[in-house]
Amino acid sequence: MGLLAFGRFAFAGALALVGCSALAQDGSLVERGRYLATIGICDSCHTLQDARGSVLKGMELAGGHRVGGLLSSNITPDEDTGIGVWTDQQIIDAIRNGKRPNGETVRPPMGVFFYRNISDQDMAAIVAYLRSVPAVRNKVERLESRGPAPAFAPVQTVSAPDRRDKRAYGQYLGETIAHCYQCHTPRKEGSPDMARWGAGGNAYTARGGGQVTAPNITQTNLASWTDEQVKLAITKGVRPDGSTLAAVMDFDGYARFSAVDLDALVTYMRTVPAVN
């Protein structure tokens, strides 16, 4: 997932606002949040990495990793350098609405465009998980941005997708949680070009140097792949011909997809229109 931060929920029918301590004590909520943060690859941006791209132990989610010309934020519960004094709602606003408690904008590559669709229930789980991780004291310099961040209308509440609808749930996982289309959709004025959804073409620096280009993941490329071949590419980085994908993609995180969720994701990907 990109930048984050959180603080105060309760349940109204489904979920509204309760104290952060109550959230953190709910083990199932924490585990759901851990799962979402894992397949949402939060640590990919928010944890420092060594030269081989492996996360540094003891620095999980403590920020400082250079992404898109900026340094990722410390999203551990440290009160001085992290999000320990943020309320749950402030964390939610940072993730879903791209606003920090001081009014500053959360900037790309944080995927606010995608995270704004995270359901209230899953936001509560992510908050609970972030409250549960070890606090790490790591002050991160806030670098100057090269341009303005896109602005979006504030989101107040988001309903959970119906998991019985495999395609809809797969769309939620692929677009919102794992935000696959953040890398695999060309950008237009800083936001994904909806007319070329999944068409690829964005360039990234590979671990160890060199440039790679996000491939087209619409049926233009995937129609000849079996579902199992698509799943293998997502979770292991292996193409049908046995060649490997560049390790820009976070296979370790995606390998944690449950079988049911991965099946739903591929079901959705099959319905994305072909784009040349």
Side-chain angles (χ1 to χ4, degrees):
M1 262 159 76
L3 178 148
L4 302 123
F6 299 53
R8 214 139 272 143
F9 254 63
F11 293 88
L15 248 168
L17 291 138
V18 322
C20 61
S21 59
L23 288 177
Q25 290 170 4
D26 188 333
S28 62
L29 202 61
V30 171
E31 286 309 307
R32 172 66 177 172
R34 187 191 313 277
Y35 173 70
L36 294 171
T38 300
I39 65 172
I41 58 174
C42 300
D43 64 349
S44 177
C45 289
H46 287 279
T47 302
L48 281 169
Q49 302 173 8
D50 61 23
R52 296 174 298 176
S54 299
V55 299
L56 297 181
K57 297 299 181 183
M59 295 299 291
E60 287 84 355
L61 302 182
H65 181 52
R66 186 174 290 273
V67 186
L70 301 176
L71 297 177
S72 61
S73 298
N74 182 339
I75 57 172
T76 74
D78 183 71
E79 294 187 355
D80 294 324
T81 65
I83 61 171
V85 298
W86 294 28
T87 67
D88 291 348
Q89 190 57 52
Q90 286 172 336
I91 298 174
I92 291 167
D93 282 339
I95 295 174
R96 275 206 309 214
N97 294 319
K99 288 297 180 184
R100 299 166 72 91
N102 63 2
E104 291 181 347
T105 300
V106 174
R107 300 165 297 177
M110 179 67 175
V112 175
F113 178 92
F114 301 89
Y115 302 148
R116 59 194 283 100
N117 293 316
I118 298 176
S119 73
D120 294 347
Q121 292 90 331
D122 282 344
M123 285 301 296
I126 293 169
V127 171
Y129 167 64
L130 289 177
R131 297 293 190 199
S132 75
V133 304
V136 179
R137 186 175 181 81
N138 184 42
K139 186 173 178 59
V140 178
E141 180 184 3
R142 188 164 168 82
L143 302 179
E144 287 294 323
S145 180
R146 290 172 295 183
F152 306 104
V155 174
Q156 301 300 326
T157 185
V158 180
S159 299
D162 184 351
R163 296 195 194 187
R164 296 170 298 180
D165 185 335
K166 185 185 288 188
R167 183 203 173 277
Y169 186 53
Q171 180 175 11
Y172 175 73
L173 292 169
E175 293 185 2
T176 301
I177 301 300
H179 54 284
C180 310
Y181 295 85
Q182 178 169 359
C183 291
H184 289 278
T185 298
R187 299 185 187 94
K188 186 176 182 180
E189 298 179 355
S191 295
D193 183 352
M194 303 302 291
R196 302 176 65 201
W197 193 250
N202 296 321
Y204 297 93
T205 301
R207 292 169 186 167
Q211 292 285 307
V212 297
T213 302
N216 185 323
I217 58 170
T218 73
Q219 292 308 292
T220 298
N221 275 353
L222 300 186
S224 63
W225 295 25
T226 67
D227 286 357
E228 290 307 311
Q229 287 171 336
V230 176
K231 293 175 183 178
L232 193 63
I234 293 171
T235 59
K236 301 295 183 183
V238 178
R239 298 187 184 90
D241 64 4
S243 62
T244 57
L245 293 163
V248 172
M249 196 162 148
D250 295 271
F251 311 116
D252 289 346
Y254 296 144
R256 300 288 296 278
F257 262 103
S258 71
V260 171
D261 285 1
L262 188 59
D263 193 49
L265 172 59
V266 174
T267 296
Y268 162 65
M269 293 177 71
R270 292 297 189 196
T271 69
V272 176
V275 181
N276 292 320

